[in-house]
Amino acid sequence: MKEDDSSISQKKIDELIKEQKYAALIQMISRRDPNRLKQYNSIKIKNQIFRLNQDVAVCANNNDVYSGKLIKIFCIKDQNNQYVPVIQVQWYYTKQDLNLDKKLMKCISIKELFFSTHIEFLAANKLQCPIEVMTFDQYTQLEYEEETKFFSRAAIDLKTMEPMPTVGEWPKSCVCRMPQNPDIQMIQCETCGEWFHLDCVNIKPEEAEQIEHYKCPGCQ
């Protein structure tokens, strides 16, 4: 009878893995035989070492690549003494996920991430590479854009799909009094230090390149 139970358990494990139901797999193993479930602080995938609480690029179950934080690393020993590595990821959301009007959406960068409470279990081989999520100020100090560098200045409310804090609470710049978007070119007043959107002060991009010392309308 024990052998039969063992066989059924292995069949169920294989079934859950095939269906990518890793949350159910972890729950089943922890309930029936917790000795076969271990947690780790790091894991090596594709010759890269990933560590707990690291921001990572992950290929989700739909095969699209998303950003998340690696919050747990599990290893399951199945009935055939094979090891099944499973990770738990807490997702970041992006600009395309937000529910904002056009005016506010213009303040959001394509490199901006919003931390969520959405957690998911995945096969560890879904890990792609480490990424770096910086503050807004850190990101704007970069000399050039890098594919694996992002920034965050808010989380996301999964009920409203709006940033927390809201865009209206973010620091504001320019005569339009809107938050900065690093994707949009701006110019800084050398007198007051404020940043201005080129469109808002009627400056063309090619003209901005020729300006060595800029004074905003309020400082002229």
Side-chain angles (χ1 to χ4, degrees):
M1 187 66 181
K2 286 185 178 179
E3 290 183 4
D4 188 52
D5 286 344
S6 174
S7 176
I8 293 172
S9 178
Q10 182 60 42
K11 180 180 178 181
K12 185 64 176 178
I13 289 173
D14 293 340
E15 179 184 307
L16 292 173
I17 292 174
K18 183 178 181 180
E19 295 176 357
Q20 302 185 67
K21 295 181 178 179
Y22 295 101
L25 176 61
I26 293 291
Q27 291 174 359
M28 184 185 74
I29 295 296
S30 61
R31 185 176 66 251
R32 295 186 183 181
D33 192 354
N35 291 328
R36 288 199 280 137
L37 181 66
K38 292 186 177 181
Q39 292 193 47
Y40 294 87
N41 294 321
S42 63
I43 188 170
K44 188 173 183 180
I45 301 289
K46 302 170 187 174
N47 293 319
Q48 295 184 95
I49 295 177
F50 297 86
R51 294 181 171 82
L52 284 183
N53 298 314
Q54 188 173 33
D55 293 315
V56 291
V58 185
C59 183
N61 287 333
N62 63 0
N63 292 324
D64 287 337
V65 176
Y66 300 98
S67 300
K69 187 177 289 292
L70 181 58
I71 57 174
K72 286 186 181 178
I73 300 169
F74 297 95
C75 195
I76 300 166
K77 185 177 181 181
D78 68 16
Q79 294 287 5
N80 298 322
N81 291 325
Q82 298 295 311
Y83 290 91
V84 182
V86 176
I87 58 171
Q88 189 180 41
V89 173
Q90 190 164 352
W91 294 115
Y92 285 99
Y93 280 59
T94 63
K95 178 177 183 174
Q96 65 183 17
D97 301 309
L98 297 175
N99 179 28
L100 293 175
D101 63 36
K102 270 189 176 182
K103 183 179 179 181
L104 295 181
M105 197 66 83
K106 287 180 65 176
C107 305
I108 310 298
S109 168
I110 59 172
K111 298 289 287 185
E112 190 160 5
L113 299 178
F114 301 86
F115 200 46
S116 77
T117 56
H118 180 188
I119 294 173
E120 190 170 358
F121 290 90
L122 299 161
N125 62 10
K126 294 287 188 178
L127 287 166
Q128 300 298 300
C129 66
I131 63 171
E132 184 176 359
V133 181
M134 317 171 80
T135 66
F136 175 83
D137 289 339
Q138 289 171 332
Y139 186 82
T140 55
Q141 295 303 312
L142 292 176
E143 293 185 9
Y144 53 89
E145 185 178 301
E146 294 184 38
E147 186 178 353
T148 59
K149 289 190 176 181
F150 303 84
F151 73 94
S152 181
R153 51 186 163 179
I156 187 171
D157 184 333
L158 293 180
K159 292 182 179 179
T160 63
M161 299 306 291
E162 295 181 358
M164 301 184 303
T166 64
V167 177
E169 298 175 82
W170 297 359
K172 298 173 180 60
S173 299
C174 191
V175 293
C176 65
R177 305 316 298 158
M178 296 294 286
Q180 293 184 31
N181 177 352
D183 303 343
I184 299 175
Q185 189 175 355
M186 302 184 78
I187 191 168
Q188 187 177 32
C189 175
E190 66 175 10
T191 302
C192 66
E194 182 68 275
W195 286 89
F196 296 85
H197 300 108
L198 299 187
D199 286 347
C200 293
V201 288
N202 298 314
I203 297 176
K204 296 178 180 179
E206 57 270 22
E207 294 174 341
E209 294 177 3
Q210 305 301 319
I211 298 175
E212 293 185 11
H213 304 286
Y214 174 71
K215 284 190 178 183
C216 71
C219 293
Q220 290 177 1

